[in-house]
């Protein structure tokens, strides 16, 4: 008998210790209900989300009796001990107290970016102009909640003012709200991402993707989609050249590898090592874009790497002959380099409250081919569930 066992299928997750279930979780996206059971039912938790109003109700029971309850409705949180209300919190008051200091009367409509790089890229590149026009925003302001958002705004929307406020954690509804004369638009929330993945899984392969979902969320038809081109400042270009010069990278003939991702599971290091040595055997130098410490490539040859910002990495990648990456938000950002792009798709990493999704649905729903205004003849995508590493490597090296 195993000491610890984790079982995950399409309907239920279970964690066991010595065969005893310590946690069970079921997710039902049709009813937006999450059920959790701890210690074989000793304690249970049920959370139900109203997709129309974005309100939610969470209830915790011990031995079948309600001990705690939390209701989120109209940007207010109410807590109960048993059936007795013990606390009421206005999330708009909390928002005002923490963030209103960042905004001044030079702006009217505030657009808060809370997604990772992929969806943020889609908003800034294809939809922000139509959204501003639709809302009749006279003096819009973009709000960055990750530092790389700042890089992206500067490169894609240099004409739109922005402010950086750090990570955003308030569970506000996705409806516009007003405070002190400002209109605020929260462009993404967790419920939205869960629903997108659910819809991708439920619909026929190839009929629905996350760019469509974003257009539907914002109420923007295809005719309103336009494209902003990425611009790299001379300062960022120069900083990149200074950093890369120290590595000895041959800028005349190199490939750009990006093996990391936040959403997709990392792929076997051996494949990346073989790609590196394979390219070097063909006379290419290799730059590997690394931001973490999960890859070492100790078996690979003398590849080059250094720490680059989003802007610097883009400036370098557009000088390369090929780009090979694990699917990530950074992958779509690199599409505007117009360099042949080879993208590996794996399953998503395990994420709380998100149902597992097979690679076929991931490729169908998040394919780079759904992007408008891109040269699809330069996009190559690999389902690493069905493609052998050897076949993938041969195609990338020899295409």
């Amino acid at each position: 008998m195993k000491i610890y066992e984790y079982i995950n299928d399409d309907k239920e997750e279970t964690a066991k210790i010595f065969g005893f279930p310590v946690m069970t979780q079921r997710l039902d996206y049709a009813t937006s209900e999450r059920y959790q059971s701890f210690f074989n039912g000793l304690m249970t938790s049920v959370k139900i989300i109203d997709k129309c109003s974005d309100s939610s109700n969470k209830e915790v029971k011990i031995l079948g009796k309600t001990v705690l309850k939390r209701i989120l409705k109209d940007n207010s949180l109410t807590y109960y001990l048993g059936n007795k209300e013990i606390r009421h919190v206005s999330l708009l008051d909390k928002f005002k107290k923490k963030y209103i200091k960042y905004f001044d009367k030079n702006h009217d409509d505030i657009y808060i970016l809370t997604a990772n790089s992929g969806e943020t890229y889609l908003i800034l590149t294809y939809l922000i102009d139509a959204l501003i026009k639709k809302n009749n925003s006279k003096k819009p302001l973009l709000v960055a909640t990750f530092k790389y958002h700042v890089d992206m705004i500067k490169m894609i929307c240099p004409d739109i003012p922005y402010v950086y406020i750090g990570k955003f954690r308030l569970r506000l509804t996705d409806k516009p709200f007003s405070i002190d004369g400002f209109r605020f638009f929260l462009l993404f929330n967790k419920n939205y991402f869960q629903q997108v993945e659910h819809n991708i899984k439920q619909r026929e392969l190839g009929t629905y993707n996350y760019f469509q979902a974003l257009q539907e969320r914002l109420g923007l038809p295809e005719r309103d989609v336009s494209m902003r081109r990425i611009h790299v400042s001379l300062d960022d270009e120069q900083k990149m050249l200074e950093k890369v010069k120290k590595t000895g990278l041959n800028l005349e003939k190199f490939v750009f590898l990006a093996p990391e991702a936040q959403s997709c599971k990392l792929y076997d290091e051996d494949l990346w090592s073989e790609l590196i040595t394979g390219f070097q055997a063909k006379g290419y130098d290799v730059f590997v874009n690394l931001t973490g410490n999960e890859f070492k490539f100790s078996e690979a040859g003398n590849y080059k790497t250094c720490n680059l910002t989003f802007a610097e990495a883009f400036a370098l990648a557009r000088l390369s002959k090929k780009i090979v990456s694990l699917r990530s938000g950074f992958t779509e950002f690199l599409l505007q380099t117009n360099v042949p792009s080879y993208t590996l798709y794996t399953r998503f990493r395990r994420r709380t409250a998100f149902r597992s999704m097979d690679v076929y649905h991931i490729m169908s729903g998040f394919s780079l081919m759904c992007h408008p205004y891109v040269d699809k003849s330069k996009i190559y995508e690999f389902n690493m569930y069905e493609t052998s590493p050897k076949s993938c490597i041969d195609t990338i090296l020899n295409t």
Side-chain angles (χ1 to χ4, degrees):
M1 182 182 294
K2 297 180 180 179
I3 297 177
Y4 175 78
E5 184 180 10
Y6 174 74
I7 304 168
N8 182 13
D9 58 35
D10 195 45
K11 296 181 179 179
E12 187 173 275
E13 300 174 59
T14 303
K16 296 181 178 181
I17 296 179
F18 292 113
F20 182 81
V22 294
M23 189 282 292
T24 300
Q25 175 171 277
R26 293 195 299 271
L27 300 170
D28 188 339
Y29 284 105
T31 60
S32 293
E33 179 176 314
R34 183 186 71 189
Y35 172 82
Q36 295 175 311
S37 172
F38 302 91
F39 304 106
N40 205 26
L42 176 66
M43 183 172 74
T44 60
S45 169
V46 178
K47 182 177 181 181
I48 302 173
I49 298 171
D50 186 333
K51 291 179 286 188
C52 296
S53 64
D54 210 28
S55 59
S56 67
N57 185 338
K58 183 175 181 180
E59 191 170 357
V60 178
K61 295 182 179 181
I62 296 179
L63 296 176
K65 289 192 174 184
T66 300
V67 292
L68 292 171
K69 189 161 53 174
R70 186 196 70 203
I71 297 176
L72 170 63
K73 187 176 181 180
D74 299 329
N75 288 320
S76 292
L77 275 172
T78 306
Y79 296 88
Y80 296 83
L81 183 60
N83 291 316
K84 182 181 179 181
E85 182 180 326
I86 57 174
R87 191 183 178 202
H88 183 81
V89 178
S90 168
L91 296 182
L92 294 187
D93 287 346
K94 291 187 71 172
F95 178 90
K96 179 177 179 179
K97 182 178 180 180
K98 186 170 183 179
Y99 296 115
I100 202 68
K101 62 187 176 184
Y102 290 100
F103 314 120
D104 58 47
K105 295 303 179 181
N106 290 325
H107 306 99
D108 55 0
D109 289 349
I110 317 294
Y111 295 87
I112 305 174
L113 303 167
T114 55
N116 290 330
S117 55
E119 285 79 8
T120 300
Y121 172 81
L122 294 182
I123 284 281
L124 298 179
T125 301
Y126 297 113
L127 301 173
I128 191 63
D129 291 321
L131 188 59
I132 289 172
K133 182 179 179 180
K134 176 187 175 184
N135 293 328
N136 197 28
S137 304
K138 304 301 182 184
K139 297 177 289 185
L141 178 73
L142 297 174
V143 176
T145 57
F146 293 99
K147 287 187 177 179
Y148 61 76
H149 285 170
V150 174
D151 272 347
M152 297 178 76
I153 293 169
K154 287 181 177 179
M155 297 173 71
I156 304 171
C157 303
D159 56 317
I160 303 178
Y162 72 91
V163 64
Y164 171 68
I165 66 171
K167 196 160 186 179
F168 188 83
R169 299 182 183 275
L170 291 178
R171 295 190 296 271
L172 296 173
T173 66
D174 62 355
K175 303 296 189 293
F177 58 93
S178 297
I179 298 176
D180 290 358
F182 299 107
R183 276 197 306 175
F184 292 91
F185 297 87
L186 186 64
L187 299 182
F188 303 98
N189 65 3
K190 190 174 183 179
N191 296 339
Y192 164 75
F193 294 114
Q194 291 176 340
Q195 193 60 43
V196 168
E197 293 196 15
H198 173 68
N199 289 343
I200 288 172
K201 287 189 65 176
Q202 295 302 308
R203 303 192 190 186
E204 186 178 348
L205 287 173
T207 63
Y208 188 76
N209 61 65
Y210 77 135
F211 186 60
Q212 287 175 261
L214 192 51
Q215 288 178 267
E216 291 173 5
R217 174 180 175 82
L218 301 175
L220 299 174
E222 194 69 33
R223 65 176 180 272
D224 290 343
V225 175
S226 59
M227 185 175 187
R228 282 176 171 258
R229 295 291 178 181
I230 289 176
H231 298 280
V232 180
S233 71
L234 292 176
D235 184 52
D236 285 323
E237 184 103 32
Q238 187 59 39
K239 287 179 180 177
M240 177 276 291
L241 291 173
E242 290 172 1
K243 290 180 180 180
V244 171
K245 183 179 180 180
K246 296 177 182 178
T247 71
L249 180 71
N250 178 10
L251 291 174
E252 299 300 319
K253 190 178 181 182
F254 76 97
V255 293
F256 186 97
L257 270 56
E260 299 172 323
Q262 291 185 7
S263 296
C264 285
K265 290 183 177 181
L266 300 182
Y267 199 74
D268 194 336
E269 188 173 304
D270 289 345
L271 176 141
W272 297 102
S273 295
E274 289 186 38
L275 276 175
I276 292 171
T277 54
F279 275 122
Q280 290 172 337
K282 287 179 172 292
Y284 291 90
D285 207 346
V286 179
F287 183 90
V288 184
N289 191 64
L290 298 173
T291 60
N293 55 7
E294 295 179 278
F295 285 113
K296 300 299 181 184
F297 302 119
S298 54
E299 300 301 318
N302 184 29
Y303 67 90
K304 311 302 192 304
T305 188
C306 62
N307 185 39
L308 299 175
T309 66
F310 249 62
E312 292 164 357
F314 180 88
L316 177 62
R318 69 182 177 184
L319 300 177
S320 67
K321 303 302 181 184
K322 292 183 180 182
I323 295 172
V324 187
S325 69
L326 184 63
R327 180 65 169 95
S328 69
F330 188 50
T331 303
E332 48 211 324
F333 187 74
L334 293 175
L335 285 179
Q336 286 203 42
T337 61
N338 206 32
V339 173
S341 170
Y342 300 78
T343 305
L344 281 56
Y345 286 76
T346 62
R347 294 193 69 155
F348 286 150
R349 297 174 186 243
R350 184 174 179 270
R351 298 157 298 160
T352 303
F354 281 79
R355 187 74 55 78
S356 59
M357 185 185 296
D358 61 65
V359 183
Y360 297 99
H361 282 90
I362 292 172
M363 284 193 69
S364 172
F366 297 91
S367 171
L368 299 171
M369 296 294 188
C370 76
H371 288 229
Y373 308 114
V374 295
D375 186 348
K376 295 179 181 179
S377 69
K378 294 184 177 180
I379 297 175
Y380 304 82
E381 298 182 306
F382 301 87
N383 180 339
M384 299 312 294
Y385 178 78
E386 66 177 7
T387 304
S388 70
K390 183 180 185 306
S391 174
C392 178
I393 291 169
D394 287 346
T395 301
I396 293 172
L397 291 177
N398 299 315
T399 300

